[in-house]
């Protein structure tokens, strides 16, 4: 049993008379924090997206926005601090220690917990990445506070409480979750769900350094090596400007190529709905949706996809959604901008050819 | 080796329906399955037992009917099933769930000895949070190894383990100490078919059932709804966009439809056409 659990946040608070007013012991919890995921010398884009979202929450609450940056100095930590300010942070808690050079659960959990207990944030946001999910669960458990996973929308309600909305099981529902009696209120948010804010170059802020008591000897897990992915061909999907995707309406594995061809003509990337992954027609890194990739392209073309909520939340950020489906009542037409009731297997090749012609003519003319 | 595997009984998501009026999940008649992600941990546990001997115990917290899932796991070859069930656990969020499961693991460890590994699934398909495993690890002081794609080396005597972990930008090779909480990545193995004798044994096996008191939980305020810091305030169907999609008539043949669709796309997004012309060069 881990007896080092810290007495916490809310644990002492009386549970009576909740909800109505902020209990006295909550008043010391203020500010919105974003955990800055910093690996291989760069900030994960989701952390910058969360600074944008955190900025809105902090302004609404009338508090400051802080980035929490852990790492080891050799790897450009100072530049990262500057980026935090440019993307909206008022201050950065900077923890620079050799033990933190590569992410490991134990020292990161220890440092995050100590920082929370010392500086008492009201809200803490993390990316729902491999790292963020590994860390958030540990930190929330140590603090005995609430953690809402994979949120797609954040807001502050009338009672100054974080309303964290996430899709829930069942195919067509969302639920809004609050952490009423505990602080901080924690949430993870998937990459690409929140818009990337525009950086303001030269924007400044305060650096609050923190020196943790960490010894390498007491960390049980060691990183023997790291085998980086080669710039995998699918890695661009989340960031592509144009995405074409197929669903079960394609009917067969061979028809995936219809989607790929259209994507190629448009210079975009391609993907599919989850059943295609489950059938083994496409790789898991091509799945779009709640449990796959979230995309924010300028143009999204969905062929033979019904538009279940888990798919919808992954594509809603697209500037324009075009749906091709044989069923005029398919839910995807409820959120697509343009729709065609047609057989995707027939229409996709025609569309590919028509796009190709059109772009060719224009290019010659231009 | 002594290995525990946490499994959860979940409704088969492919078959779930939502009540159109009340917006509640209609669970009646929906078949339940073992959370698919948990089977990767179970198979890994069985493989380790094949290599080193020992026992595999499957554990779950849930309603009495969750014992069916334990029985199913025994049919794959697990040795013992433990069910923690009590009405006080109703409405548990991940913090309350990891509390209850940590107590269950400690109680089982009193009887069987402390496990060297506790396997959890990467995440569930109903909760989908991936928080319970890390919660258990934290509460029990286990080394936390999530998203493991392979166990490269393990020495139960020395208590050392080396794994490959799927990180965001590559694979981390980590060495750590046992006892550990491990979540296996999907696709890292494939659940075996149980042998005839496993299946027979499972059908007759007695599933141990404990309630909160039996695992030494005295403070019920840490359980169920009361022990859950998160509160679900609202469940709702996503709003349709205010306007529905503009429908392009699919008349006049496929080519005409394709052309009309492209016109509509570019009419709405003129900048897109420029982008495409400059970017799609070379085709
Ligand atoms: C916890 C959880 C997480 C999930 N995560 C994801 C996720 O990340 N991503 C995801 O996509 N799904 C996810 N799902 C699954 C999701 O609920 C849906 O089941 C899935 O998106 C449906 O895929 P589909 O639209 O391709 O297939 P279907 O639902 O089978 O729909 C096929 C559609 O194609 C149409 N069609 C049929 N023939 C044609 C044709 N010839 N031409 C054109 N249209 C045709 C049909 O009218 C229908 O609308 C998740 C589910 C759960 C429970
Ligand atoms: N009620 C439960 N009983 C047993 N194990 C559970 C339970 N809930 C969650 N788990 C374990 O924790 C993992 C992650 O669950 P979750 O945090 O809900 O995504 C699951 O894959 C299971 O291994």
């Amino acid at each position: 049993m881990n007896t080092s659990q810290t007495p916490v946040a809310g644990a002492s608070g009386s549970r009576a008379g909740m909800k109505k007013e902020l209990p006295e012991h909550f008043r010391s919890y203020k500010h919105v924090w974003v955990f800055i995921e910093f690996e291989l010398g760069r900030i994960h884009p989701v952390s910058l997206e969360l600074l944008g979202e955190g900025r809105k929450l902090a302004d609404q609450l009338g508090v400051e926005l802080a980035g929490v940056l852990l790492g080891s100095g050799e790897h450009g930590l100072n530049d990262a601090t500057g980026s935090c300010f440019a993307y909206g942070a008022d201050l950065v808690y900077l923890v620079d220690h050799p033990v933190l050079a590569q992410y490991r659960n134990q020292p990161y959990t220890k440092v995050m917990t100590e920082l929370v207990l010392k500086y008492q944030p009201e809200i803490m946001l993390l990316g729902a990445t491999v790292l963020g999910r590994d860390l958030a669960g540990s930190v929330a458990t140590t603090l005995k506070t609430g953690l809402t996973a994979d949120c797609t929308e954040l807001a502050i309600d009338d009672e100054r409480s974080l309303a964290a909305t996430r899709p829930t099981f069942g195919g067509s529902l969302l639920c809004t979750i609050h952490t009423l009696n505990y602080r901080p209120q924690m949430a993870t948010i998937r990459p690409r769900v929140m818009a990337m804010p525009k950086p303001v170059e030269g924007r400044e802020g305060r650096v609050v350094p923190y020196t943790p008591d960490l010894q390498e000897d007491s960390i049980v897990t060691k990183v023997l090596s790291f085998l980086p992915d080669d710039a995998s061909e699918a890695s661009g999907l989340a960031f592509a400007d144009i995405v074409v995707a197929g669903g079960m309406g394609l009917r067969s594995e061979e028809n995936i190529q219809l989607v790929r061809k259209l994507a190629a003509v448009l210079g975009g990337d391609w993907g599919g709905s989850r059943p295609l992954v489950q059938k083994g027609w496409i790789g898991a890194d091509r799945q779009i949706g709640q449990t796959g990739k979230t995309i924010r392209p300028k143009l999204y073309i969905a062929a033979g996809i019904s538009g279940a909520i888990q798919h919808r939340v992954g594509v809603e950020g697209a500037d324009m959604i075009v749906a091709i489906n044989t069923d005029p009542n398919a839910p995807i037409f409820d959120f697509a901008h343009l729709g065609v009731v047609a057989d995707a297997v027939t229409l996709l090749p025609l569309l590919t050819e028509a796009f190709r012609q059109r772009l060719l003519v224009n290019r010659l003319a231009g | 080796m002594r290995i525990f595997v946490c499994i959860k009984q979940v409704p088969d998501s492919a078959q779930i329906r939502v009540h159109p009026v009340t917006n509640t999940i209609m669970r009646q008649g929906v078949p339940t399955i073992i959370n698919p992600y948990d089977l990767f941990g179970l198979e890994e546990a069985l493989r380790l037992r094949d290599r080193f001997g020992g026992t595999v115990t499957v554990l779950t917290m849930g309603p009495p009917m969750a014992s069916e899932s334990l029985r199913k796991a025994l049919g794959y070859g697990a040795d013992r099933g433990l069910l923690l069930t009590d009405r006080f656990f109703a409405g548990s969020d991940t913090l309350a769930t990891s509390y209850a499961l940590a107590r269950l693991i400690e109680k089982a460890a009193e009887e069987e000895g402390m496990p060297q590994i506790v396997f959890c699934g990467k995440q569930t398909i109903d909760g989908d949070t991936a928080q319970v495993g890390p919660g258990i690890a934290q509460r029990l002081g286990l080394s936390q190894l999530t998203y493991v794609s392979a166990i490269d080396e393990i020495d139960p005597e020395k208590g050392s383990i080396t794994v490959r972990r799927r990180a965001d930008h590559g694979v981390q090779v980590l060495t750590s100490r046992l006892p550990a909480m491990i979540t296996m990545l999907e696709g890292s193995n494939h659940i075996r078919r149980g042998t005839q004798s496993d299946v027979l044994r499972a059908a007759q096996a007695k599933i141990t059932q404990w309630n909160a008191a039996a695992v030494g939980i005295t403070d019920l305020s840490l359980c169920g709804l009361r022990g859950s810091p998160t509160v679900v305030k609202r469940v709702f169907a996503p709003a349709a966009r205010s306007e529905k999609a503009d429908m392009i008539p699919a008349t006049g043949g496929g080519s005409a439809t394709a052309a009309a669709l492209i016109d509509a796309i570019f009419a709405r997004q003129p900048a897109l056409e420029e982008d495409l012309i400059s970017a799609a060069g070379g085709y």
Side-chain angles (χ1 to χ4, degrees):
Chain A
M1 189 48 214
N2 178 3
T3 47
S4 65
Q5 286 164 358
T6 357
V8 233
S12 56
S14 138
R15 308 202 44 133
M18 50 202 218
K19 289 180 195 175
K20 296 290 170 284
E21 245 169 46
L22 274 190
E24 185 61 37
H25 68 275
F26 276 10
R27 303 234 169 96
S28 55
Y29 287 87
K30 39 178 179 279
H31 305 315
V32 176
W33 284 13
V34 173
F35 173 78
I36 305 296
E37 204 169 301
F38 182 72
E39 276 192 307
L40 306 176
R42 61 181 269 272
I43 296 181
H44 193 294
V46 72
S47 305
L48 303 176
E49 292 158 17
L50 293 185
L51 284 173
E53 184 66 14
R55 182 73 261 165
K56 291 182 213 156
L57 299 177
D59 289 346
Q60 217 178 324
L61 291 166
V63 298
E64 289 189 310
L65 174 68
V68 186
L69 183 58
L70 278 59
S72 176
E74 311 106 57
H75 302 286
L77 220 45
N78 277 329
D79 293 347
T81 311
S83 301
C84 291
F85 298 139
Y87 281 86
D90 298 309
L91 68 155
V92 169
Y93 293 103
L94 183 63
V95 192
D96 182 353
H97 195 285
V99 168
L100 302 173
Q102 287 210 49
Y103 173 75
R104 284 174 293 172
N105 179 271
Q106 190 190 353
Y108 271 64
T109 300
K110 177 172 149 60
V111 170
M112 289 305 290
T113 308
E114 287 172 5
L115 285 173
V116 166
L117 293 175
K118 183 162 178 180
Y119 295 107
Q120 305 193 308
E122 190 167 358
I123 291 174
M124 176 150 71
L125 308 178
L126 303 92
T129 57
V130 167
L131 192 165
R133 286 179 145 210
D134 188 84
L135 178 62
S138 308
V139 173
T141 307
T142 315
L143 295 169
K144 305 283 182 293
T145 193
L147 168 61
T148 306
D150 275 5
C151 302
T152 52
E153 206 186 314
L154 301 174
I156 305 292
D157 77 357
D158 305 342
E159 292 164 8
R160 204 188 165 89
S161 162
L162 178 70
T165 298
R166 70 183 302 248
T168 186
F169 177 74
S172 53
L173 291 181
L174 295 164
C175 65
T176 303
I177 295 178
H178 293 245
T179 295
L180 293 173
N181 302 308
Y182 298 81
R183 292 293 180 269
Q185 308 162 88
M186 291 179 60
T188 62
I189 297 92
R190 292 172 53 82
R192 309 290 285 157
V193 168
M194 302 299 174
M196 179 66 80
K198 286 221 168 13
V200 179
E201 291 314 326
R203 193 175 173 281
E204 289 182 16
R206 315 192 303 282
V207 175
V208 180
Y210 176 77
T211 311
D213 176 20
L214 289 172
Q215 267 90 39
E216 185 55 49
D217 295 349
S218 61
I219 312 298
V220 298
T221 300
K222 312 285 176 199
V223 182
L224 292 185
S225 61
F226 184 80
L227 318 165
D229 296 333
D230 23 310
S232 131
E233 53 150 4
S235 64
L237 179 56
F239 295 93
D241 276 341
I242 298 187
V243 175
V244 185
M248 288 309 287
L250 290 180
R251 295 201 302 260
S252 75
E253 185 171 2
E254 297 82 76
N255 288 332
I256 306 286
Q257 51 139 336
L258 303 179
V259 164
R260 299 182 63 162
K261 281 187 182 149
L262 177 54
V265 164
L266 296 175
D269 216 324
W270 63 279
S273 64
R274 180 154 98 161
L276 271 48
V277 176
Q278 287 168 331
K279 283 197 171 291
W281 293 359
I282 64 174
D285 53 357
R286 293 281 172 191
Q287 181 185 318
I288 296 170
Q290 188 200 350
T291 47
K293 294 217 159 55
T294 304
I295 57 172
R296 299 182 77 88
K298 292 179 181 159
L299 173 63
Y300 176 56
I301 301 178
I305 294 181
S306 60
I309 181 67
Q310 291 92 353
H311 189 82
R312 175 175 174 173
V313 296
V315 305
E316 251 172 345
D319 291 343
M320 181 157 54
I321 300 172
V322 177
I324 304 167
N325 198 303
T326 42
D327 176 5
N329 297 317
I332 194 148
F333 293 129
D334 293 342
F335 61 93
H337 301 89
L338 286 174
V340 192
V341 177
D343 175 7
V345 179
T346 319
L347 189 60
L348 278 173
L350 297 171
L351 198 57
T352 305
E353 183 52 26
F355 263 123
R356 203 179 64 77
Q357 292 287 347
R358 174 115 176 204
L359 295 178
L360 194 68
V361 168
N362 274 315
R363 208 167 299 137
L364 295 176
Chain B
M1 283 188 81
R2 196 174 304 108
I3 305 171
F4 288 1
V5 184
C6 292
I7 65 172
K8 186 178 183 193
Q9 185 177 51
V10 295
D12 186 350
S13 62
Q15 310 204 25
I16 207 86
R17 292 287 171 272
V18 174
H19 193 284
V21 178
T22 58
N23 269 346
T24 50
I25 292 165
M26 304 196 293
R27 285 174 190 263
Q28 287 100 320
V30 176
T32 55
I33 54 174
I34 297 177
N35 176 41
Y37 291 109
D38 301 348
L39 296 177
F40 302 108
L42 178 57
E43 175 59 25
E44 204 63 30
L46 295 172
R47 287 183 188 183
L48 289 171
R49 189 193 59 186
D50 291 346
R51 250 172 87 190
F52 297 103
T55 52
V56 172
T57 301
V58 283
L59 306 87
T60 195
M61 178 194 79
M65 70 181 259
S67 61
E68 288 164 22
S69 288
L70 295 171
R71 201 175 293 284
K72 178 101 188 163
L74 297 184
Y76 289 125
D79 297 283
R80 187 184 184 205
L82 297 175
L83 170 65
L84 178 61
T85 186
D86 204 311
R87 63 190 172 86
F88 297 115
F89 297 129
S92 296
D93 73 356
T94 54
L95 192 75
T97 300
S98 70
Y99 173 74
L101 287 171
R103 294 290 83 76
L104 174 61
I105 289 168
E106 283 181 326
K107 171 69 185 174
E110 269 174 33
E111 294 196 345
E112 303 179 21
M114 188 63 190
Q116 279 112 332
I117 301 180
V118 176
F119 281 106
C120 285
K122 185 184 92 170
Q123 65 198 60
T124 50
I125 60 166
D126 57 351
D128 237 329
T129 74
Q131 284 164 199
V132 171
I136 291 171
Q138 197 61 31
R139 289 175 182 279
L140 298 176
L142 309 173
S143 311
Q144 175 170 322
L145 302 169
T146 54
Y147 304 93
V148 169
S149 59
I151 298 179
D152 282 352
E153 279 171 35
I154 182 162
D155 187 333
E157 297 297 307
K158 280 205 261 163
S160 63
I161 182 165
T162 303
V163 302
R164 278 161 198 267
R165 173 172 187 271
R166 181 72 251 180
D168 282 305
H169 316 288
V171 175
Q172 268 186 330
V173 183
L174 297 174
T175 164
S176 192
R177 281 213 310 262
L178 303 177
M181 188 290 299
I182 299 179
T183 73
M184 295 299 298
L185 204 63
E186 65 273 24
S188 50
N189 57 39
H190 199 280
I191 190 72
R192 62 191 58 194
R193 289 174 78 111
T195 63
Q196 190 96 48
S197 72
D198 285 330
V199 176
L200 282 175
R201 187 176 49 84
Q204 284 148 23
K206 183 178 157 349
I207 306 282
T208 306
Q209 280 201 16
W210 283 325
N211 62 12
V215 299
I217 294 177
T218 47
D219 185 355
L220 293 172
S221 74
L222 298 172
C223 300
L225 266 184
R226 286 172 69 201
S228 298
T230 58
V231 178
V232 178
K233 271 215 160 174
R234 196 161 89 90
V235 179
F236 57 103
R241 279 188 335 111
S242 43
E243 345 97 72
K244 281 209 155 199
D246 268 351
M247 301 304 282
I248 306 300
T251 48
S255 305
T257 309
L261 182 56
I262 293 173
D263 285 342
I265 291 173
F266 289 152
R268 283 171 163 253
Q269 300 274 75
L272 193 64
E273 186 163 13
E274 316 267 304
D275 288 355
L276 279 175
I277 291 164
S278 47
Y283 198 90

